[in-house]
Amino acid sequence: MHRARTVINNLVPLAPLVPKVAPERFAAWLAAAPNKIIINSPPKRWYNAPVATEPFLNGSSGSYVEEMYNSWLADPKSVHASWDAFFRNSSSGAGPGQAYQAPPSLALPGRNETALTSLAPFFGGGAALGGQVDDKVIDDHLAVQAIIRSYQIRGHHIAELDPLGISSADLDDRIPPELLYNHYSFEEKDMERVFKLPSTTYIGGKDKALPLKEILRRLETAYCRHIGVEFMFINSLEQCNWIRQKFETPGIMEMDSDQKRLILARLTRATHFEAFLARKWSSEKRFGLEGCEILIPAMKQIIDKSTELGVESIVMGMPHRGRLNVLANVCRKPLEQIFTQFAGLEAADDGSGDVKYHLGTYIERLNRVTNKNIRLAVVANPSHLEACDPIVQGKTRAEQFYRGDGEGKKVMSMLLHGDAAFCGQGIVFETFHLSDLPDYTTHGTIHIVVNNQIGFTTDPRFSRSSPYCTDVARVVNAPIFHVNSDDPESVMHVCNVAAEWRNTFHKDVVVDIVSYRRNGHNEIDEPMFTQPLMYRKIRNTKPGLQLYAEKLIKEGTVTEEEVKDVADKYEKICEEAYTNARKETHIKYKDWLDSPWSGFFEGKDPLKVSLTGIKEDTLVHVGKRFSSPPPNAAEFVIHRGLERILKARMEMVEARTVDWALAEAMAFGSLLKEGIHVRLSGQDVERGTFSHRHHVLHHQNVDKATYRPLCFLYPDQAPYTVSNSSLSEFGVLGFELGYSMTNPNALVCWEAQFGDFNNTAQCIIDQFISSGQAKWVRQSGLVMLLPHGLEGMGPEHSSARLERFLQMSSDDPDYFPPESEEFAVRQLHDINWIVANCSSPANYFHILRRQIALPFRKPLVIMTPKSLLRHPEAKSSFDEMVEGSEFLRVIPEGGAASQNPSSVKKVVFCTGKVYYDLKKARDSKDLASDIAISRVEQISPFPFDLVKNECAKYPNAELVWAQEEHKNQGAWSYVQPRFNTALNNTRSLSYVGRPTAASPATGSKMQHYKEHAQLLEDTLAL
Ligand SMILES: Cc1ncc(C[n+]2csc(CCOP(=O)(O)OP(=O)(O)O)c2C)c(N)n1
Ligand SMILES: [Mg+2]
């Protein structure tokens, strides 16, 4: 298959495009008698080596070769013996000029040969042949094949896609030469000649041969009217043929009058919805759909077709444009709820809310066309265009996972894009690259581009370098259907094909609706400032609804009264809803939730946290499984180094201790045992960036044979997914966030390779994780694992930018909440996320488990260690994990200093791995009784209560905060005001550590050690 595509790609002529001066396309040729045309050989092509060296494969024979090759692949006997020999030789690597063997004589056909004379009827009559086939006949047949192929490959370039008729969707007004009639040697008299059709086309329907004139007419109809099909780059002959069939088959686009009336009704709603809003709230921004109202019937068509094919749930993501219309007319969100958003009412529930064109929704309803129940969710999104793409994919994937929908037959995703954003935003590319990865695929997404040929005030020519705004989709071999928005029936056809494509191949597909934007970017913008000619044209362009209504009236499908009637009815619905909306006094953010967790919150004490310590038996069981080689160890050969690692793990279990990896495995394993699905995703997480985890063992002799110990802990455990991700942060973090939104009873973790790289996913962090609950009342228990710490690895492998996470924490530095039993959980309940830097494996174990033990969900950001993964002291005892133990927000000094606190001279507060360095230095200086070192493990929400107690314990001590990060980084600026609050400004806390800096760490190891030594000395100075 792949080889066939190689051939196809090599066959694409690379001749320069010629300017579109005269309309010398075949269509024009049909209308006007052409001049005599000379055969003009396209550039030379090659099959297995450069064609220039394989002389017989030049000229227009490329498509013929492809035809032969396809037939040969299916059945070597179906082609002439010479072709058979050629393909066999070529497949086995014969060099240029060596694969070809002269064909046997035509006079004596062999077993699998067809005498050319048998094709006589197609060659203008046997008499013309006289037992011989002249070169012209063969060349003409090859030319016909080349023409067909040219239309399939390049027809879209000249399709009439722009409803305004002013620009080309591919930004190129020229006509590819192979679509010009004078590229080939036909004359007018040839138009009536009948040519045999190759198997790579379906234009014939039942006919095996057609007159040239008809061939050209049908190709024009299929490829150059209001649909431009881009698909010939796809690496699968089967898929190419499937698409050819969907667009070439005669009559395939015909529609009955019911279907047409349905389109009209839907288009009416879409159009009148915008008109209604414009009338009632003329100065409100709503990012209307005017100019591309066909989007609504298009989406509905996809939903109808997909439900008909078995889909039960659709997760959608979309930008601002037409969003309210989608909510109203696709999701059928009550109009009252939409209209109240315009009323400026206060919210009746918690949260800070968002503007109306960002809100999500979730609806379950009956699809009236298919009479099946369907769930529709539109995820809430920020202004940041395309940022919700991976979220939608993660949410979809999770829904498929929980439903056991392993092939995506029941749940699918649909993503909407603006033309400028689709090609401009890198996240689109990152999301496409998740589409075929085993643990990230959603088995095909239907993308719709609202291509209004403008982005705010910028013309496409200045906003992209690719011909089409959709070219990014080509990387995943997604077919792309460009369609003129003013031809509703063509739009519906491509929507049907897109839904069928997804259902058949479970791969992505793009519908590019080429349209225009009737107003400015928003309703109060003046587009004439920047696009005067375009907008003059738009003013003179009839709305799509009017055009379609006129068409249907003209052809007798509907009457004028019926058209008016549908519109009036919808207006009435809007008016009624408007009246009801005016009675509302409050809005409810909960009405706009995209991922309701039914049953999760109900009947729960919102402040009751389950215990995180577990039975020792479980620790032992998980520990042992995790430390054991595969059960069939005799055959499954693991790496020697791993044998040692497993052995060391087993020894730890026997000694009732854990290191970081073991603690993590025990947290995961115990949750799996409790029925909690655990998913760990990120770059190289299976082994672990620092080779400490090893959740997937690889057979050393058998390719792809692996063993995942945590999947085999208990027969009835929840599933465990651990997956190396693509090299993306924005895309993958977004995906995992989406995954975490679907079901609260799962621990979803994303690990950065180094914490430093999280900033390429900054938008997900800022727009979704940090603020998602406040804006959209949507919770997530996502865990971000960010390896962090200055260890001399240079500026880009040292800091996860702890300071940024802390700066975005929403707890008030000046407010010490009332102390009570529920102090900790109440803080967690009120904050936007949790930021921690654990220094012990046990604490890591507990904080992971606490994510699930909480009666609500909060994102957790953990600065995870690197050197501590192997630090001999960074171990914990089972005692710290068994029942009765819990997460420690602060680990107080427990050594000599704590025994005689009043004589302690200094209390050093710190967080993370620097603790071990400070402790070692203190003990080596024999200062264990003079200096207490306390660890703040949960930095945010800040443990005011525990810090206060710890300080109070050492009344005569100086208080310092020591950190290895530079002064303007790390936790300092967050903790300082909070210490003051905890101490009620009665004592002060001073800073010890590196000075301020622009870069997170030095690139010089020597300098690093120097700075580190200084830090220890300064901290321990008395
Ligand atoms: C990431 C991001 N950058 C910039 C913007 C500002 N912005 C809002 S709409 C817009 C133009 C979008 O054009 P297009 O994607 O074609 O959608 P349209 O508005 O034309 O429907 C821009 C630049 C944004 N919202 N998000
Ligand atoms: Mg646009």
Side-chain angles (χ1 to χ4, degrees):
M1 202 69 89
H2 172 71
R3 234 170 126 68
R5 298 309 322 148
T6 311
V7 177
I8 288 166
N9 289 335
N10 288 343
L11 289 174
V12 177
L14 297 172
L17 297 170
V18 297
K20 193 197 262 178
V21 276
E24 290 175 322
R25 295 159 47 181
F26 288 118
W29 192 75
L30 288 170
N35 299 324
K36 183 165 172 18
I37 306 160
I38 313 289
I39 280 208
N40 176 13
S41 295
K44 294 171 177 176
R45 303 147 181 155
W46 166 236
Y47 169 62
N48 197 27
V51 73
T53 55
E54 195 70 88
F56 80 102
L57 268 183
N58 61 11
S60 53
S61 54
S63 50
Y64 177 64
V65 177
E66 185 202 348
E67 165 94 347
M68 288 292 127
Y69 183 65
N70 290 338
S71 307
W72 177 78
L73 275 181
D75 175 12
K77 291 200 176 76
S78 67
V79 299
H80 190 274
S82 59
W83 281 117
D84 182 27
F86 171 70
F87 290 130
R88 265 189 290 109
N89 292 343
S90 184
S91 303
S92 54
Q98 293 159 9
Y100 176 71
Q101 288 171 8
S105 154
L106 282 174
L108 296 168
R111 209 160 37 88
N112 63 344
E113 296 168 13
T114 307
L116 272 180
T117 45
S118 68
L119 297 174
F122 301 124
F123 296 161
L129 293 170
Q132 286 289 322
V133 181
D134 69 20
D135 282 352
K136 172 149 173 53
V137 170
I138 294 179
D139 283 349
D140 286 354
H141 259 80
L142 293 177
V144 167
Q145 292 200 6
I147 289 166
I148 293 171
R149 189 176 168 74
S150 297
Y151 269 94
Q152 291 169 338
I153 296 173
R154 306 247 177 176
H156 57 87
H157 285 300
I158 57 168
E160 289 154 18
L161 299 174
D162 179 14
L164 300 176
I166 46 182
S167 42
S168 285
D170 62 351
L171 306 184
D172 193 338
D173 287 339
R174 295 168 300 172
I175 301 175
E178 60 273 33
L179 294 175
L180 294 169
Y181 69 80
N182 59 10
H183 196 67
Y184 304 89
S185 67
F186 296 118
E187 297 176 27
E188 193 182 355
K189 65 178 194 290
D190 294 319
M191 282 295 120
E192 302 304 331
R193 280 174 61 197
V194 173
F195 288 87
K196 179 181 184 302
L197 296 168
S199 67
T200 49
T201 188
Y202 295 84
I203 54 170
K206 289 200 185 82
D207 296 324
K208 295 274 178 282
L210 286 175
L212 181 56
K213 191 169 154 187
E214 185 60 14
I215 291 175
L216 299 178
R217 194 188 66 76
R218 292 187 188 190
L219 288 170
E220 282 282 328
T221 307
Y223 291 113
C224 305
R225 288 217 323 218
H226 292 149
I227 298 175
V229 195
E230 259 192 291
F231 69 106
M232 288 291 278
F233 51 81
I234 294 176
N235 286 327
S236 155
L237 178 63
E238 182 199 4
Q239 290 168 13
C240 284
N241 282 341
W242 188 92
I243 292 172
R244 288 166 173 150
Q245 193 165 15
K246 295 289 175 191
F247 290 95
E248 293 182 355
T249 306
I252 192 138
M253 279 190 40
E254 275 163 26
M255 259 180 201
D256 63 28
S257 63
D258 282 353
Q259 288 168 306
K260 293 179 184 180
R261 293 162 76 95
L262 184 62
I263 299 173
L264 184 73
R266 288 173 168 177
L267 196 52
T268 303
R269 282 177 166 255
T271 307
H272 283 262
F273 176 78
E274 297 295 353
F276 187 83
L277 294 185
R279 239 185 10 256
K280 297 289 184 197
W281 296 280
S282 56
S283 57
E284 276 275 338
K285 274 197 218 172
R286 69 189 146 84
F287 296 102
L289 199 49
E290 290 96 331
C292 193
E293 293 95 335
I294 197 64
L295 172 71
I296 302 300
M299 291 176 78
K300 292 185 78 95
Q301 189 66 42
I302 288 172
I303 294 170
D304 289 350
K305 182 52 92 183
S306 301
T307 34
E308 185 188 313
L309 296 168
V311 169
E312 294 169 4
S313 174
I314 300 184
V315 184
M316 294 178 266
M318 70 174 298
H320 51 288
R321 180 80 50 217
R323 193 174 176 106
L324 296 175
N325 212 326
V326 168
L327 298 184
N329 286 314
V330 175
C331 303
R332 290 290 176 94
K333 189 164 184 65
L335 288 174
E336 285 83 348
Q337 283 179 16
I338 296 174
F339 294 164
T340 48
Q341 283 291 327
F342 285 87
L345 301 175
E346 265 185 47
D349 44 8
D350 286 346
S352 51
D354 201 348
V355 291
K356 48 192 160 297
Y357 40 84
H358 288 166
L359 299 171
T361 201
Y362 171 87
I363 262 170
E364 276 192 65
R365 66 178 182 83
L366 187 74
N367 180 297
R368 295 208 197 112
V369 174
T370 54
N371 211 26
K372 287 184 180 170
N373 260 331
I374 178 104
R375 291 159 53 146
L376 300 173
V378 178
V379 302
N381 64 285
S383 248
H384 294 56
L385 295 166
E386 306 289 348
C388 70
D389 296 0
I391 313 250
V392 168
Q393 301 299 55
K395 185 168 157 55
T396 308
R397 169 79 191 187
E399 216 182 294
Q400 290 173 347
F401 175 83
Y402 293 115
R403 280 176 175 237
D405 180 21
E407 292 169 66
K409 289 188 168 158
K410 297 208 154 56
V411 186
M412 70 172 247
S413 53
M414 180 148 67
L415 287 177
L416 271 62
H417 314 270
D419 52 314
F422 196 45
C423 54
Q425 291 290 312
I427 186 60
V428 174
F429 182 86
E430 290 189 30
T431 308
F432 268 117
H433 270 285
L434 298 176
S435 68
D436 221 5
L437 304 182
D439 283 315
Y440 302 84
T441 179
T442 55
H443 307 281
T445 299
I446 299 184
H447 300 263
I448 306 180
V449 184
V450 173
N451 181 356
N452 51 21
Q453 310 184 79
I454 193 166
F456 207 155
T457 66
T458 305
D459 286 336
R461 269 161 226 278
F462 298 98
S463 75
R464 66 174 188 258
S465 298
S466 61
Y468 289 105
C469 63
T470 51
D471 284 344
V472 61
R474 293 169 65 118
V475 294
V476 293
N477 272 303
I480 299 159
F481 309 140
H482 309 280
V483 62
N484 185 321
S485 62
D486 272 357
D487 180 349
E489 289 168 26
S490 289
V491 177
M492 295 314 121
H493 181 66
V494 297
C495 289
N496 277 335
V497 178
E500 286 170 12
W501 163 273
R502 188 205 173 261
N503 183 61
T504 309
F505 299 110
H506 288 286
K507 284 167 59 76
D508 285 29
V509 52
V510 179
V511 173
D512 174 26
I513 308 181
V514 186
S515 53
Y516 58 90
R517 192 187 69 195
R518 184 163 287 278
N519 302 318
H521 176 59
N522 59 55
E523 290 61 35
I524 32 193
D525 254 356
E526 172 52 85
M528 292 291 276
F529 286 150
T530 48
Q531 274 76 22
L533 299 184
M534 185 188 205
Y535 273 81
R536 208 161 292 148
K537 182 88 196 201
I538 290 174
R539 250 190 252 146
N540 296 325
T541 302
K542 287 184 187 172
L545 174 62
Q546 190 182 340
L547 289 174
Y548 193 53
E550 284 172 7
K551 175 180 179 284
L552 295 194
I553 292 168
K554 195 164 162 213
E555 69 183 36
T557 307
V558 291
T559 62
E560 251 174 77
E561 291 68 47
E562 282 173 311
V563 172
K564 188 168 173 309
D565 198 37
V566 183
D568 289 349
K569 273 199 184 121
Y570 188 63
E571 282 285 333
K572 201 159 156 262
I573 293 171
C574 289
E575 281 296 347
E576 274 171 25
Y578 179 72
T579 312
N580 292 339
R582 289 176 63 136
K583 293 181 201 145
E584 292 291 333
T585 54
H586 285 85
I587 52 166
K588 284 195 221 89
Y589 293 134
K590 284 213 168 65
D591 289 342
W592 300 84
L593 188 55
D594 55 21
S595 313
W597 291 338
S598 52
F600 176 66
F601 298 105
E602 287 83 13
K604 258 200 192 122
D605 178 346
L607 297 177
K608 175 138 181 38
V609 193
S610 310
L611 300 171
T612 53
I614 58 173
K615 285 199 167 66
E616 179 144 353
D617 282 358
T618 310
L619 294 175
V620 172
H621 179 83
V622 174
K624 285 195 168 165
R625 279 286 163 112
F626 186 56
S627 311
S628 303
N632 54 342
E635 302 115 55
F636 194 112
V637 184
I638 58 170
H639 192 274
R640 297 292 290 273
L642 257 179
E643 283 176 9
R644 281 195 296 277
I645 290 171
L646 295 181
K647 190 159 164 278
R649 278 181 183 164
M650 192 62 92
E651 284 165 10
M652 274 193 281
V653 175
E654 275 153 12
R656 300 185 69 254
T657 38
V658 294
D659 65 359
W660 211 269
L662 201 46
E664 180 184 78
M666 287 175 174
F668 288 2
S670 56
L671 290 172
L672 293 168
K673 177 174 187 277
E674 292 159 26
I676 302 295
H677 166 45
V678 179
R679 177 179 164 99
L680 172 63
S681 148
Q683 291 151 31
D684 307 292
V685 295
E686 293 175 6
R687 187 201 73 172
T689 299
F690 312 103
S691 199
H692 70 290
R693 184 175 283 128
H694 298 288
H695 283 196
V696 181
L697 311 185
H698 291 260
H699 197 309
Q700 296 295 298
N701 303 326
V702 180
D703 189 30
K704 297 190 186 74
T706 55
Y707 172 68
R708 292 158 198 248
L710 293 184
C711 294
F712 300 98
L713 299 174
Y714 299 93
D716 55 350
Q717 70 173 75
Y720 176 56
T721 304
V722 56
S723 180
N724 291 343
S725 74
S726 69
L727 209 168
S728 141
E729 287 82 22
F730 195 168
V732 177
L733 179 59
F735 185 97
E736 301 311 333
L737 176 67
Y739 198 99
S740 75
M741 279 155 42
T742 302
N743 182 348
N745 294 315
L747 183 73
V748 182
C749 309
W750 174 76
E751 184 173 73
Q753 185 110 85
F754 282 87
D756 310 62
F757 303 118
N758 82 69
N759 58 9
T760 71
Q762 198 68 53
C763 175
I764 298 293
I765 297 166
D766 294 353
Q767 266 61 42
F768 293 87
I769 301 178
S770 152
S771 55
Q773 183 179 350
K775 293 193 288 191
W776 308 315
V777 289
R778 170 219 279 161
Q779 300 192 6
S780 161
L782 180 73
V783 180
M784 290 175 69
L785 302 172
L786 306 178
H788 171 87
L790 278 77
E791 295 174 358
M793 294 175 83
E796 263 65 78
H797 294 88
S798 299
S799 174
R801 295 294 195 173
L802 171 63
E803 62 277 10
R804 287 206 189 122
F805 291 98
L806 293 174
Q807 199 222 359
M808 285 195 279
S809 287
S810 65
D811 63 340
D812 185 344
D814 304 323
Y815 176 66
F816 192 148
E819 283 176 271
S820 72
E821 282 255 303
E822 289 154 349
F823 183 89
V825 65
R826 202 176 276 281
Q827 268 196 316
L828 294 172
H829 178 272
D830 293 344
I831 202 160
N832 57 332
W833 60 15
I834 306 160
V835 183
N837 190 359
C838 302
S839 63
S840 83
N843 236 11
Y844 179 49
F845 164 87
H846 283 294
I847 202 168
L848 289 176
R849 286 186 48 80
R850 192 181 70 175
Q851 281 302 92
I852 299 300
L854 288 172
F856 43 79
R857 293 291 173 258
K858 295 285 165 174
L860 168 64
V861 182
I862 311 189
M863 304 287 121
T864 53
K866 295 171 292 184
S867 59
L868 288 198
L869 299 173
R870 294 188 176 77
H871 195 290
E873 282 196 50
K875 297 249 170 71
S876 299
S877 155
F878 279 13
D879 294 339
E880 299 164 71
M881 298 156 78
V882 291
E883 285 166 318
S885 64
E886 61 178 354
F887 175 69
L888 304 174
R889 291 176 289 144
V890 169
I891 303 183
E893 169 64 55
S898 67
Q899 305 306 315
N900 193 3
S902 55
S903 62
V904 167
K905 301 194 176 88
K906 197 175 206 178
V907 183
V908 177
F909 286 93
C910 63
T911 186
K913 80 166 214 314
V914 72
Y915 164 77
Y916 292 97
D917 300 331
L918 290 170
K919 180 168 173 279
K920 188 171 166 209
R922 177 193 66 177
D923 295 352
S924 72
K925 286 179 188 253
D926 209 12
L927 293 171
S929 303
D930 300 304
I931 299 179
I933 307 177
S934 302
R935 292 169 263 174
V936 178
E937 303 274 304
Q938 175 182 294
I939 313 172
S940 175
F942 190 70
F944 290 99
D945 53 341
L946 301 181
V947 164
K948 183 184 99 175
N949 295 345
E950 188 69 353
C951 292
K953 184 170 174 184
Y954 304 96
N956 306 316
E958 176 195 356
L959 305 176
V960 300
W961 174 264
Q963 68 176 32
E964 52 179 10
E965 298 89 349
H966 288 272
K967 193 174 181 182
N968 56 329
Q969 300 161 24
W972 171 239
S973 25
Y974 176 85
V975 298
Q976 187 193 24
R978 287 170 176 80
F979 262 88
N980 289 341
T981 302
L983 297 164
N984 200 16
N985 292 312
T986 53
R987 293 165 75 183
S988 65
L989 175 81
S990 43
Y991 170 81
V992 194
R994 289 174 167 85
T996 57
S999 171
T1002 171
S1004 144
K1005 234 186 175 110
M1006 284 316 299
Q1007 176 65 15
H1008 166 77
Y1009 289 132
K1010 227 169 103 189
E1011 289 174 5
H1012 194 67
Q1014 189 67 48
L1015 162 70
L1016 299 181
E1017 201 174 310
D1018 291 351
T1019 311
L1020 303 174
L1022 286 176

